[in-house]
Amino acid sequence: MTLRDDTDGDPTFLLVPRNDNVRDALVHQALGVTATNGLLMQTATRNADSSSNANPSTPMYGHAPISLLPNAFPAHEYVKARRLAPIWNELVARVAYDREWLLRTLESVLPHDDFTRRLVEIYQAIDGAGRDVQKIHLGVNRSDYMLHVEGAASTSSSPSIKQVEINTIASSFGCLSTEVTRLHRYLVQKILGCTRLYTPSWFFPYNDTMRGLAHGLAMAHNEYMRQESCLSRPSTSSQHRRHPCVLMIVQPGERNINDQKLLEVALWEGFGVPLHRATLLEVAGEGHLDLQGRQNLLLKSPLVSEAEEKAGQGEEVEVTVAYFRAAYDPSDYPSEEEWKGRELIEMSAAIKCPCISYHLAGTKKVQEALSRPGELERFLKKPADVAAIRDCLMGLHGLEPGLAGAEEAVKAARASPEDFVLKPQREGGGHNLYGAELVEALVRLAPEERAAYILMEKIRPPPFDSHFVRDGQVLHGAAAFELGVYGVFLGDGECQRVLLNESVGHLLRTKLATSQEGGVAAGFAVLSSPLLVLSQEGGKWARRRQFAELQKYSMSGPAWRRKSSIWRRAVALSVFGGVVLGFAAVAKAVDKRRSR
Ligand code: ADP
Ligand code: MG
């Protein structure tokens, strides 16, 4: 195989295999690496080989759906998306804190959306109870963008990012996206022989999402432990030993298990913090609040036998951080028990990720309400932040009766449904309505019922060529992609005490251009990574600036802080050295004059 090390210009050979032999070699290597690095998902079916002695409940895994090679993405739009993450974090925190605005915004949705209504009821019920025992919240937000081109293909402008939605609960794929970046780097370097991943025209960023998320959870865990250490705890009657843990709330039968397990391992290996998994049903059945303490959430430890329990050698898991990877869809609450579990968590002193007000702040209705004139200004102090957020918003329309512009939007959507998406207040993919279904819904729904939906103008991504790998098979076709940027925030609602607010990494999902939806777990998209194409405008210095900025976003927060602090120290040391030398020279000159 010929090895190439293209340092100038054209990255095309990194995006599409040049012949079938190269493609087959890439697939072969990719499948090996996905298995080695845990870039896997649990398959729905088990191995039904009856002659095998294997435990029938042993889970089976297959590779996660991936794109064979990275996809080209404009570097300046990538940087823009990364810069927006801390602003979105702050916005979510402030919106979630503004109780009166949040309830007013969601009011029109509640009569026709039982799920959102139940969430709001819990939000109101915890007022003064759970809300006050824990003021610090952890946000793991992922803002999703697509590239949008304005106008017809011949006259179109250069593409710019537009937000699809912001996920404030169970933002997944952070760890698998780190692994897919590692896979693509390996394939590009080893199989395509391109050892230099930075050139004057393109840049292949690292993706440290896994560490960034683990770091956020660890900081929240440490903050809880610090709060506990400041309290004088009354002696309790319980003899159980407490084992402080992060609790991951999961769906029963979760298929995207490796994404979660990689995070669990990163949290333990990187920060020494243990993570315990439980469903909402298990929390309801095994959890209770320590009312002698500050409503600490305690669960029965799975490692303790009944005999040990009876002998008073019990152990309980004390939940420091309740990290939701479930509880965002009505199907996560098949009975009242699951609602009880959710309420128990919200009432507790655990730091929630997210707390219920963050969950509500991530609804589509809130996204629409924020796009109205004057609303962003209510929450963000800096005009530059407001302008940056507004610039990435697509046209959004609320549909409640009497709202200015609602009837016009409905008329426009019925006349040209191909330009709109109708969205209910749901997460997880597969709920949106397009084309004929959208028109049918707008005709069928009474004006008050429409208020439970929002209308969004369609984003028009430029199509490009991509190779997908699903179940070991390669599929080739025109594709579109969605860039997700993860932001981690730890602080209070007023943003007076902010312990962490950073952009930690990215997720690129690629889907067939003909597919309307975009979820990986829902089967619409595959995981990919961006190969950033640098703008050649502005000369050498502009390119250097782009490079410096990209380096910053290529490293984890702590690594970047280390690097910049080394620079700061080096500069400080040279200044100090210069001053000392200057003094020495002056002293010498004075000495000389005196001795004369
Ligand atoms: P969910 O919460 O179910 O993920 P999204 O708002 O992310 O809902 O929509 C699901 C998918 O639908 C997206 O991943 C994207 O592919 C597509 N989609 C959503 N909004 C738009 C839009 N305005 N224009 C084009 N496609 C969209
Ligand atoms: Mg989505």
Side-chain angles (χ1 to χ4, degrees), residues 362-384:
T363 51
K364 283 144 178 120
K365 187 68 202 166
V366 167
Q367 184 190 11
E368 178 273 311
L370 286 173
S371 73
R372 296 181 201 165
E375 296 293 7
L376 286 172
E377 288 81 351
R378 179 185 174 105
F379 299 105
L380 295 173
K381 302 244 161 15
K382 294 187 199 152

Side-chain angles (χ1 to χ4, degrees), residues 144 146 164-165 167 364 394 421 423 426-432 434 456-459 482 509 511 516-519:
D144 292 338
M146 285 162 93
V164 176
E165 64 157 345
N167 301 281
K364 283 144 178 120
M394 205 57 193
V421 187
K423 297 188 177 186
R426 289 291 166 277
E427 300 296 329
H431 303 289
N432 297 342
Y434 301 87
M456 183 171 182
E457 289 167 25
K458 251 223 183 121
I459 304 171
E482 195 165 332
R509 285 172 296 173
K511 59 172 186 169
Q516 306 270 32
E517 289 282 333

Side-chain angles (χ1 to χ4, degrees), residues 4-15 194 196 198-203 531-534 536 543:
R4 298 183 60 169
D5 192 356
D6 259 4
T7 49
D8 287 326
D10 186 13
T12 338
F13 79 102
L14 299 179
L15 307 172
C194 179
R196 290 193 205 173
Y198 312 120
T199 80
S201 26
W202 47 270
F203 187 102
L531 180 72
L532 302 179
V533 183
L534 274 80
Q536 297 302 304
R543 274 209 300 279

Side-chain angles (χ1 to χ4, degrees), residues 85-154:
I87 310 175
W88 278 115
N89 284 345
E90 187 185 331
L91 184 58
V92 168
R94 287 186 186 276
V95 167
Y97 186 70
D98 194 334
R99 185 172 186 279
E100 188 265 325
W101 187 91
L102 199 54
L103 291 177
R104 179 158 41 85
T105 300
L106 291 171
E107 197 177 21
S108 61
V109 169
L110 306 187
H112 307 285
D113 185 333
D114 289 343
F115 180 62
T116 312
R117 187 171 45 73
R118 286 295 298 259
L119 295 178
V120 168
E121 280 168 7
I122 296 181
Y123 176 53
Q124 289 173 314
I126 60 165
D127 224 3
R131 229 150 79 99
D132 288 347
V133 294
Q134 186 52 264
K135 290 194 176 351
I136 298 291
H137 308 300
L138 177 65
V140 170
N141 304 318
R142 197 189 71 218
S143 181
D144 292 338
Y145 307 92
M146 285 162 93
L147 283 176
H148 174 65
V149 275
E150 211 81 59
S154 52

